[in-house]
Amino acid sequence: SIPVCKMSSVESKSSKRMGLFESEFKKQGKKPTMEGWSPLVSFLLCIFLGIPLLLVIILPSTLVFYFMSGTKKKAARPEFFDDPLEEKKAKVKPGIKKREEREFQIVLYGATGFTGKLAAKYTARQYKGKGLKWAIAGRNKAKLEAVRAELAEKIDPELSKLGVIIADSADTKALESMVKRTRVVATSVGPFAKYGSKLVGMCAACGTDYVDITGEADWVKHIIARLSQTAKASGARIVPFCGHDSIPWDLLVQKIATELKDKHGQALKKVEIVDNIRAAVSGGTIATIFNIFNSPLPRPTFGFNPWLCDEDGNKGESVLKLANPKIIGWNALTKQWTSLFLMADFNGKVVQRSNVFNKYGPNVIYSESQGFPSFMAAFVLTFSITILALSLSNPALGYLMRRFILPKPGQGTATEAQMEKGFLHITAVGTGEKGAKVYAELGFFKDPGYMDTGRMLMESGLMLALEDEKLLRRNGGVYTSAACMGTGLLDRLVKTGSTFESF
């Protein structure tokens, strides 16, 4: 079991680093990738082979493709309902049972996918013998039954009776039937702009709470603009971003802002975050990145940026400015080399939306970077991200990487044993409007992008299903995890494996 670090207070706040990584992380054998001299060969390859290739071939060809391609063709507008009139009328479906009368407390949709299987295994282990009423769902009956059989054989024989629901992501009748049977739907089926619109639309219309693991901000803008009124009318709490993107940062900033206000009476002015992470990449994530870049969604029709829409439909006044580092540098907070973190801008945007609801501060500066054990490690990863970014605009490079290097959808780059070695250690300091500081650390002890994303997804859904009285907001609407579940979700995560400390 993982010890839980309780809140503590110390006199010296400006220079002390808490020992979560050094104690709990190292005790469990957690080690960063590219430790010591291990990145030397990769570093030299980047310097003497990668950079010349980048300058002579990759960058020039990318520029040619970029200017020849012209304006990217926009993807079709997401369709949440078969009949567009249902969306315009904010129509709630008839024949909806009360939440407490529904057959299931939660349904996991996409249980045969890479992350979905991990979520199913987590739920089977964590809630074995606890009477949880849940089911797995997807489009392929044979694959779902195989997942059920594996859960029953390896984890809990009682799961041989686990509910299996067949529903294709484009079959609105099947989706309606499914969501009416459960309090909450937790879905891992992406890319969500391609496969998730009908499901979230049906949840909004049927008063069914919804959580997902999307990282597709433009798609969620459409949800906010076009489903908020329907969700409000039906009572459905629609909460995207309930995985690695971006629960850890969303809840951490909320906790820091709350402590600044409660202990020091100050609004949040700036938050600086450093992430130390060891994680795998799945084919689903790669597919989503390419899909977002190559087929961007059109902007929703709305009077202002939907991202700033509060629970009453008005434009929020709280502002958040992104100040995420893009180059390698030395970080005084954690005393290590840092560079850009791939999801930092996205995490900041999610925190921005939470700030609209929770009002951490009128003008917040958000800075997030990734920490590395050496300059060489920082350089190798930054160079790799650069190549990945260029492959988005370079069809030839993108094809070669997806064909021969990157994993396919439904596949991962790591086994479960390897993902057990993963971790996420976030160190942060929040500064109040008058200079007060709150330091905090949040730890995840397994691969955060997939194994612990399954846990975050299910715990988010289960809080909606089982702890309604602890929710920060109980009315229907489109929220973030910090705006709806709040610190109660952080408590659930600490109880099931994470570690949190602040001072």
Side-chain angles (χ1 to χ4, degrees):
S1 63
I2 298 170
V4 176
C5 298
K6 302 295 185 182
M7 300 275 216
S8 61
S9 176
V10 296
E11 294 181 1
S12 177
K13 297 184 179 181
S14 60
S15 61
K16 179 177 173 63
R17 280 191 66 208
M18 292 174 286
L20 278 176
F21 183 81
E22 290 73 15
S23 57
E24 304 305 335
F25 281 77
K26 286 193 173 181
K27 188 183 295 182
Q28 297 185 47
K30 305 296 182 183
K31 296 180 180 180
T33 55
M34 299 187 288
E35 234 184 345
W37 290 98
S38 62
L40 178 60
V41 174
S42 298
F43 176 74
L44 293 175
L45 285 172
C46 289
I47 295 293
F48 294 108
L49 181 61
I51 291 179
L53 283 174
L54 174 66
L55 295 177
V56 176
I57 299 176
I58 297 175
L59 189 56
S61 63
T62 300
L63 290 173
V64 170
F65 279 120
Y66 178 79
F67 287 111
M68 288 180 62
S69 62
T71 305
K72 287 186 176 65
K73 184 180 179 181
K74 297 285 186 180
R77 193 180 84 135
E79 295 299 336
F80 298 110
F81 302 102
D82 290 339
D83 181 1
L85 291 178
E86 291 188 66
E87 179 182 319
K88 292 180 179 180
K89 295 178 180 178
K91 186 178 180 181
V92 177
K93 292 286 184 178
I96 298 175
K97 290 184 178 180
K98 293 181 180 179
R99 291 168 50 82
E100 60 272 17
E101 296 176 355
R102 299 191 184 189
E103 182 180 359
F104 301 112
Q105 291 166 328
I106 190 167
V107 167
L108 172 60
Y109 188 70
T112 62
F114 184 73
T115 306
K117 284 182 183 178
L118 295 173
K121 290 177 181 179
Y122 166 77
T123 308
R125 292 190 185 101
Q126 183 67 28
Y127 293 94
K128 180 180 180 179
K130 297 182 180 179
L132 180 66
K133 299 176 182 178
W134 66 297
I136 55 176
R139 64 178 181 175
N140 190 305
K141 182 179 180 181
K143 289 183 179 180
L144 287 168
E145 290 178 342
V147 170
R148 178 174 64 180
E150 182 180 355
L151 296 177
E153 178 184 353
K154 296 183 178 180
I155 301 175
D156 183 3
E158 287 295 314
L159 292 178
S160 62
K161 297 175 284 187
L162 180 68
V164 169
I165 303 173
I166 313 302
D168 189 277
S169 62
D171 187 342
T172 53
K173 289 186 178 180
L175 293 175
E176 180 177 353
S177 174
M178 177 183 73
V179 304
K180 283 183 174 180
R181 297 170 66 185
T182 182
R183 299 180 188 181
V184 181
V185 170
T187 175
S188 61
V189 180
F192 288 83
K194 291 180 68 175
Y195 302 115
S197 298
K198 292 289 195 298
L199 176 58
V200 68
M202 201 55 64
C203 285
C206 293
T208 301
D209 293 340
Y210 168 96
V211 292
D212 67 29
I213 57 171
T214 187
E216 300 164 55
D218 288 343
W219 179 66
V220 174
K221 285 183 181 179
H222 280 269
I223 293 176
I224 298 167
R226 297 161 55 194
L227 292 181
S228 290
Q229 293 304 311
T230 302
K232 195 170 184 178
S234 71
R237 281 78 65 107
I238 307 298
V239 191
F241 314 128
C242 285
H244 180 252
D245 311 324
S246 299
I247 276 181
W249 298 271
D250 198 23
L251 297 183
L252 182 64
V253 174
Q254 180 185 33
K255 193 70 173 179
I256 288 173
T258 300
E259 290 200 21
L260 274 171
K261 183 177 181 180
D262 292 347
K263 294 182 179 181
H264 304 283
Q266 296 182 28
L268 179 65
K269 178 64 177 178
K270 180 180 181 180
V271 60
E272 181 184 357
I273 300 171
V274 178
D275 310 322
N276 281 274
I277 183 171
R278 180 171 182 166
V281 178
S282 81
T285 297
I286 298 300
T288 297
I289 292 173
F290 275 87
N291 185 64
I292 291 172
F293 188 85
N294 293 318
S295 301
L297 292 174
R299 292 182 179 180
T301 302
F302 209 66
F304 53 89
N305 183 356
W307 210 250
L308 304 178
C309 181
D310 65 15
E311 54 201 309
D312 297 319
N314 301 317
K315 183 178 180 180
E317 297 180 356
S318 299
V319 175
L320 184 142
K321 179 182 178 182
L322 298 179
N324 298 319
K326 305 300 183 186
I327 59 175
I328 300 172
W330 180 257
N331 188 276
L333 175 63
T334 57
K335 295 180 174 58
Q336 63 182 154
W337 291 100
T338 59
S339 186
L340 63 89
F341 181 57
L342 186 61
M343 296 303 295
D345 284 359
F346 178 80
N347 292 334
K349 288 180 181 179
V350 173
V351 173
Q352 177 189 36
R353 178 149 175 78
S354 294
N355 190 32
V356 169
F357 287 99
N358 297 337
K359 297 178 174 57
Y360 306 141
N363 292 282
V364 177
I365 298 172
Y366 181 94
S367 175
E368 181 187 352
S369 59
Q370 181 172 347
F372 297 91
S374 67
F375 175 84
M376 289 190 297
F379 184 88
V380 170
L381 187 77
T382 303
F383 186 82
S384 300
I385 292 175
T386 301
I387 296 299
L388 176 61
L390 289 173
S391 71
L392 297 174
S393 297
N394 189 323
L397 178 61
Y399 171 79
L400 291 173
M401 291 188 68
R402 297 178 74 180
R403 179 71 175 83
F404 299 106
I405 300 175
L406 301 172
K408 307 295 186 296
Q411 298 177 344
T413 58
T415 64
E416 287 194 36
Q418 290 170 325
M419 285 188 286
E420 288 282 354
K421 297 178 181 180
F423 64 83
L424 171 63
H425 173 224
I426 308 175
T427 305
V429 56
T431 304
E433 57 190 345
K434 296 181 181 179
K437 294 184 183 296
V438 170
Y439 293 81
E441 295 198 48
L442 178 60
F444 290 78
F445 293 81
K446 296 180 181 179
D447 181 283
Y450 301 100
M451 191 167 278
D452 256 349
T453 277
R455 178 168 69 96
M456 286 184 263
L457 173 69
M458 297 308 291
E459 291 301 333
S460 297
L462 288 171
M463 184 168 183
L464 292 172
L466 305 176
E467 296 188 294
D468 193 80
E469 71 285 354
K470 293 184 180 180
L471 297 176
L472 194 58
R473 287 173 175 82
R474 299 171 67 181
N475 295 328
V478 182
Y479 302 107
T480 61
S481 58
C484 185
M485 286 84 90
T487 55
L489 179 55
L490 180 59
D491 293 339
R492 289 188 72 95
L493 294 176
V494 167
K495 289 177 183 177
T496 56
S498 296
T499 309
F500 175 80
E501 188 171 5
S502 67
F503 65 94

